[in-house]
Amino acid sequence: MPKFEVTILGCGSALPTTKHNQTSQVVNFREKLFMIDCGEGTQLQFRKAKLKFTRLGRIFISHLHGDHCFGLLGLISTFGMLGRTADLYIHCPKGLAALLEPSLNFFCNQSPFKVIFEEFNPKVSTVLYEDRSLVVTSIPLKHRMPSSGFRFQEKAGPNHINKEQIDFYEVPSFELNRLKAGFDYVTPQGQTISNSVLTFPAEPVRSYAYCSDTAYYEPVIEHVKGVDLLFHEATFASTEALRAAQTLHSTAEQAATIAKQAEVKRLLIGHFSARYPNEERLRQEAMQVFPNVEVADEMLTFTV
């Protein structure tokens, strides 16, 4: 199957620690790289992960808190020093362009490429990017400022030709594209041969959703319904539920509840508070609600 992977560059929360970098991850879809959030130090993590700078074309910023976007200026500056010429697209809530452009004009005014800001309204689900095989949609979240998650949805591919049956029914080659698109074949004698006889189904489509930063927010459920892998923030343990409510973050138990109600296949928790020396406690709490839980950590790659 074509590659669909998520590499964690940072999974800590706002307070820096020596254990976790601030939030960033990279989706590798068919060798195209899409970055989600860009906390401080992301460009160094990108190098450690041995990802290729030239394949990163788009960055999706969830919201305008520093631990999700302070790394942008350094990353863009490095692109310039590397001689990048391809445009870089940044999908972000309204306001980031006005904040960042003065710094870019000062520090990166000789860059040989354009930085193109495509701002969106985080309060409304919107298609942000689409090509022949992938669509990326925003997911409204609930946080102290407008915040958005993202769903990466693979598009259905064409059916596969069953060569043995094609030869048996003597189907001409000019009919093959119609068969891949799902049409039946009608023989010169008027007999209809079902598409299911002449083709094999395409591979199941895959999907990944990212939800951070957010309080427990039930409207998210419909947006992430049935995804193969859900990243949901689990900043706090249940004993800090009051603190989670005050800061509009989630507990591990709440992240698992969203995963269970949305019937996702796997849950990946992250955005951990600096107060926890390890995340096993959070994993155990999540597993009490939803059994298929994985824990984010820097340089881990998860296959969708």
Side-chain angles (χ1 to χ4, degrees), residues 192-220:
T192 298
I193 310 300
S194 172
N195 185 271
S196 62
V197 173
L198 300 172
T199 66
F200 299 112
E203 291 86 359
V205 295
R206 298 163 292 174
S207 52
Y208 170 64
Y210 168 93
C211 294
S212 183
D213 292 6
T214 184
Y216 176 76
Y217 190 47
E218 290 189 349
V220 166

Side-chain angles (χ1 to χ4, degrees), residues 101-148:
E101 282 176 342
S103 296
L104 291 176
N105 291 335
F106 184 84
F107 290 105
C108 307
N109 63 332
Q110 299 298 318
S111 292
F113 65 96
K114 293 180 180 179
V115 177
I116 300 172
F117 292 92
E118 296 199 347
E119 296 186 330
F120 62 90
N121 181 359
K123 296 181 180 180
V124 180
S125 181
T126 307
V127 173
L128 304 178
Y129 170 79
E130 187 170 10
D131 61 24
R132 292 184 303 172
S133 53
L134 178 71
V135 59
V136 182
T137 308
S138 62
I139 302 170
L141 303 178
K142 184 178 181 180
H143 195 44
R144 299 193 304 277
M145 64 161 51
S147 184
S148 175

Side-chain angles (χ1 to χ4, degrees), residues 25-190:
Q25 52 186 248
V26 171
V27 176
N28 183 335
F29 183 79
R30 303 190 179 199
E31 303 302 341
K32 288 183 180 179
L33 302 186
F34 304 85
M35 181 177 285
I36 304 175
D37 283 332
C38 189
E40 185 178 353
T42 290
Q43 63 171 321
L44 297 177
Q45 294 295 92
F46 200 94
R47 281 197 177 277
K48 287 180 183 178
K50 298 181 179 179
L51 298 168
K52 294 185 178 181
F53 281 96
T54 55
R55 290 185 177 167
L56 178 61
R58 293 176 183 269
I59 300 174
F60 297 85
I61 300 297
S62 62
H63 65 294
L64 305 188
H65 277 158
D67 57 316
H68 292 256
C69 62
F70 277 171
L72 280 171
L73 184 59
L75 181 67
I76 293 168
S77 177
T78 295
F79 279 153
M81 289 187 285
L82 291 173
R84 180 190 181 101
T85 57
D87 293 342
L88 177 66
Y89 291 83
I90 300 178
H91 303 267
C92 54
K94 186 175 181 180
L96 182 60
L99 291 170
L100 201 55
E101 282 176 342
S103 296
L104 291 176
N105 291 335
F106 184 84
F107 290 105
C108 307
N109 63 332
Q110 299 298 318
S111 292
F113 65 96
K114 293 180 180 179
V115 177
I116 300 172
F117 292 92
E118 296 199 347
E119 296 186 330
F120 62 90
N121 181 359
K123 296 181 180 180
V124 180
S125 181
T126 307
V127 173
L128 304 178
Y129 170 79
E130 187 170 10
D131 61 24
R132 292 184 303 172
S133 53
L134 178 71
V135 59
V136 182
T137 308
S138 62
I139 302 170
L141 303 178
K142 184 178 181 180
H143 195 44
R144 299 193 304 277
M145 64 161 51
S147 184
S148 175
F150 307 102
R151 177 169 178 152
F152 290 73
Q153 179 68 52
E154 184 177 31
K155 292 183 178 179
N159 292 341
H160 300 297
I161 296 299
N162 184 334
K163 190 175 184 307
E164 182 178 323
Q165 294 297 320
I166 293 295
D167 292 341
F168 178 81
Y169 287 103
E170 299 180 342
V171 178
S173 59
F174 63 81
E175 289 281 356
L176 297 186
N177 284 337
R178 283 176 49 80
L179 293 176
K180 290 179 181 179
F183 292 96
D184 296 333
Y185 170 62
V186 180
T187 69
Q189 295 76 31

Side-chain angles (χ1 to χ4, degrees), residues 242-257:
L242 178 59
R243 178 64 176 162
Q246 290 170 340
T247 58
L248 294 183
H249 281 292
S250 296
T251 66
E253 181 182 7
Q254 290 170 337
T257 300

Side-chain angles (χ1 to χ4, degrees), residues 274-288:
R275 71 188 65 205
Y276 304 110
N278 66 70
E279 292 75 47
E280 180 60 22
R281 174 184 176 184
L282 300 175
R283 186 179 74 88
Q284 290 294 335
E285 286 193 7
M287 289 181 64
Q288 294 299 312

